[in-house]
């Protein structure tokens, strides 16, 4: 099967940053932008320049320091937003992303404009951006997952005729299942000519953002919009690391691949967490504290013999390390493993005594790293050895 390269559009600094408690200073955005670019992404979204002087400055900095990736600015379908974006970043290597109002719900309840007015503003703004010399223009169909086919097709075709280079299918409220989202992307792909890129933009409200993103790719999308760590509005966006990990392992069967540096992703996530003060979740895929940790005795017994027994995703491929945690569910296998490494032979009675003292009675409901248990065992055995 011939593999198709997936283009990665990173929106950590825009959709990710606009979520509560995720705000960043311009210099911090620049730091992350350069690290994200180094991963191998194709596009880095800088933010929403028209919203504040800080966003203007972030765009100015990032546009001048990126050396390979394209940069994108977020604009409403308002000419003055595009003017701000160009004033901040110029036109070279610049993609303007224009937000369309793409569901009847948003037209009626939020914007209070007609379908014709929504199409007219798309055409006006795309034409304006082209006249200013912007080389790349994407049309983001906001709330496309709840828009009618008639509205979405009319907006897509109008945008293409006006000169967009990309159409983004946004499941803004995260309401779709993979089958539904794949169908949506397939329709948009059929309405736009092959020369126009189609990108996904999925949210995590049902925990389906990665699955929906994959469904979009299988339906013909050329690229994806993701964030580092999945940060973003409400429950977040499709996580860069989850999609990259999936394509890393399933590339052959899916016929899809990326060029992302998988090992370096975790370092970018740590930098992001440090900047925005993000707590590390315990159980998040790829980046969770214990994503590659185990405490259950049955799992530890298998891992000690062969990590592949319980690890399909390998930690070192993603800049992580395997951890064995000692907790009340830990079995005797981890204790035997440590004693064998220490070249200490004990009988069954002594093993049971060590197990009770160092695991069941000591650890209780908490957990600790295996290295802590090793030090305790070494201290005890040295003490006992000295006494004899």
């Amino acid at each position: 099967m011939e593999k198709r390269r997936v283009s990665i559009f990173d929106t950590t600094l825009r959709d990710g940053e606009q979520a509560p408690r995720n705000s960043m200073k311009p210099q911090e955005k620049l730091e992350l932008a350069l690290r994200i670019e180094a991963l191998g992404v194709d596009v880095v979204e800088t933010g929403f320049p028209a919203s504040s002087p800080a966003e203007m400055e972030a765009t100015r900095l990032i546009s001048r320091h990126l050396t390979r990736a394209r940069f994108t600015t977020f604009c409403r379908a308002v000419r003055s937003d595009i003017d701000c974006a160009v004033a901040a970043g110029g036109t070279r290597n610049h993609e303007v992303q224009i937000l369309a109002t793409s569901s009847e719900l948003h037209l009626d309840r939020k914007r209070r404009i007609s379908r014709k007015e929504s199409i007219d503003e798309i055409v006006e703004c795309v034409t304006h951006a082209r006249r200013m010399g912007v080389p790349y223009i994407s049309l983001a169909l906001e709330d496309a997952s709840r828009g009618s086919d008639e509205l979405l097709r009319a907006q897509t075709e109008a945008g293409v005729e006006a000169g967009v280079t990309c159409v983004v299918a946004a499941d803004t409220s995260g309401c779709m299942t993979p089958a539904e989202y794949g169908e949506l992307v397939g329709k948009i792909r059929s309405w736009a000519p092959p020369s126009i890129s189609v990108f996904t933009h999925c949210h995590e409200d049902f925990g389906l953002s990665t699955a929906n993103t994959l469904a979009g790719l299988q339906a013909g999308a050329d690229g994806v919009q993701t964030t580092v760590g999945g940060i973003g509005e409400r429950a977040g966006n499709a996580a860069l690391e989850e999609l990259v990990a999936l394509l890393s392992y399933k590339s052959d069967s899916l016929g899809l691949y990326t060029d992302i540096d998988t090992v370096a992703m975790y370092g970018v996530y740590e930098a992001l967490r440090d900047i925005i003060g993000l707590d590390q979740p315990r159980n998040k895929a790829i980046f969770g504290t214990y994503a590659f940790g185990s405490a259950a005795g049955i799992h530890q017994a298998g891992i000690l013999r062969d990590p592949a027994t319980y690890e399909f995703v390998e930690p070192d491929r993603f800049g992580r390390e395997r951890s064995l945690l000692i907790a009340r569910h830990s079995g005797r296998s981890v204790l035997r493993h440590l004693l064998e490494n220490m070249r200490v032979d004990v009988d069954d009675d002594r093993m049971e005594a060590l197990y009770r003292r160092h695991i069941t009675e000591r650890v209780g409901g908490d957990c600790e790293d295996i290295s802590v248990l090793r030090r305790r065992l070494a201290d005890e055995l040295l003490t006992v050895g000295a006494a004899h």
Side-chain angles (χ1 to χ4, degrees):
M1 179 190 295
E2 184 178 351
K3 294 183 185 178
R4 178 162 56 91
R5 182 181 178 276
V6 174
S7 183
I8 305 292
F9 177 118
D10 184 87
T11 184
T12 303
L13 307 180
R14 199 277 298 172
D15 200 325
E17 194 254 1
Q18 73 187 34
R21 300 178 64 184
N22 288 355
S23 61
M24 308 174 205
K25 299 175 182 177
Q27 197 65 38
E28 292 170 334
K29 279 196 170 190
L30 174 61
E31 176 190 341
L32 284 173
L34 294 176
R35 297 188 67 148
I36 290 168
E37 179 188 43
L39 293 177
V41 306
D42 300 276
V43 185
V44 177
E45 191 168 24
T46 68
F48 182 8
S51 66
S52 72
E55 292 288 272
M56 287 276 288
E57 176 64 8
T59 295
R60 187 188 70 79
L61 287 171
I62 294 169
S63 67
R64 285 156 176 74
H65 285 85
L66 292 181
T67 58
R68 185 193 53 76
R70 185 160 72 241
F71 76 94
T72 296
T73 52
F74 182 81
C75 299
R76 295 166 299 180
V78 178
R79 288 174 58 140
S80 59
D81 280 13
I82 298 168
D83 293 339
C84 283
V86 172
T91 57
R92 189 184 68 82
N93 204 34
H94 188 171
E95 176 179 316
V96 166
Q97 180 163 229
I98 298 171
L99 189 69
T101 306
S102 299
S103 72
E104 284 76 6
L105 175 65
H106 280 212
L107 285 176
D108 297 340
R109 304 285 181 84
K110 186 180 78 169
R111 296 289 310 286
R112 297 180 181 176
I113 62 173
S114 68
R115 177 184 300 182
K116 181 180 184 304
E117 287 173 310
S118 76
I119 294 171
D120 287 346
E121 66 184 16
I122 289 170
V123 173
E124 179 185 2
C125 289
V126 172
T127 302
H128 181 60
R130 284 181 58 84
R131 285 174 178 164
M132 294 188 75
V134 177
Y136 308 100
I137 305 168
S138 58
L139 181 66
L141 302 176
E142 185 183 23
D143 205 35
S145 45
R146 294 188 288 183
S148 68
D149 285 358
E150 293 77 17
L151 174 62
L152 295 173
R153 181 166 189 168
Q155 290 183 338
T156 298
E157 291 178 345
V160 168
E161 186 175 350
V164 302
T165 56
C166 175
V167 178
V168 182
D171 183 16
T172 305
S173 62
C175 67
M176 284 192 145
T177 65
E180 292 168 338
Y181 187 71
E183 182 180 3
L184 170 65
V185 170
K187 290 175 183 176
I188 293 172
R189 178 70 280 172
S190 72
W191 299 331
S195 59
I196 305 301
S197 298
V198 174
F199 271 59
T200 67
H201 182 99
C202 299
H203 280 265
E204 182 70 352
D205 298 76
F206 280 140
L208 293 172
S209 61
T210 299
N212 285 348
T213 299
L214 177 60
L217 288 170
Q218 292 176 311
D222 303 284
V224 299
Q225 294 193 355
T226 61
T227 63
V228 175
I231 67 169
E233 288 283 7
R234 301 179 313 281
N237 290 57
L240 170 69
E241 68 278 4
E242 292 179 16
L243 182 74
V244 169
L246 179 62
L247 297 187
S248 177
Y249 280 91
K250 301 291 185 176
S251 179
D252 290 339
S253 61
L254 294 172
L256 302 167
Y257 74 96
T258 76
D259 298 322
I260 300 298
D261 183 347
T262 59
V263 175
M265 288 192 300
Y266 188 63
V268 178
Y269 178 60
E270 289 186 305
L272 171 67
R273 287 200 304 112
D274 184 58
I275 287 171
I276 65 174
L278 179 67
D279 293 334
Q280 184 173 18
R282 288 189 290 195
N283 64 331
K284 193 178 189 308
I286 312 301
F287 285 170
T289 305
Y290 301 128
F292 300 102
S294 64
I298 293 173
H299 286 233
Q300 290 177 340
I303 288 171
L304 287 169
R305 290 178 175 84
D306 183 348
T309 54
Y310 286 98
E311 286 180 3
F312 183 78
V313 180
E314 301 151 297
D316 57 343
R317 287 182 68 166
F318 302 96
R320 305 298 308 279
E321 293 182 359
R322 178 182 306 112
S323 60
L324 296 179
L325 288 305
I326 309 305
R328 66 184 181 88
H329 294 294
S330 299
R332 292 160 184 78
S333 59
V334 70
L335 194 56
R336 290 193 185 94
H337 169 74
L338 288 174
L339 293 171
E340 287 172 4
N341 282 351
M342 297 166 67
R343 298 183 179 179
V344 174
D345 187 23
V346 298
D347 58 26
D348 291 344
D349 290 340
R350 183 72 187 284
M351 174 67 75
E352 286 303 308
L354 290 171
Y355 179 70
R356 285 195 308 272
R357 184 158 61 252
H358 289 280
I359 295 181
T360 58
E361 295 174 2
R362 172 131 187 167
V363 178
D366 296 326
C367 68
E368 60 187 20
D369 190 81
I370 189 173
S371 61
V372 177
L373 174 58
R374 190 185 193 287
R375 286 196 297 270
R376 283 210 316 271
L377 286 172
D379 290 344
E380 177 175 328
L381 294 169
L382 284 173
T383 302
V384 171
H388 288 283

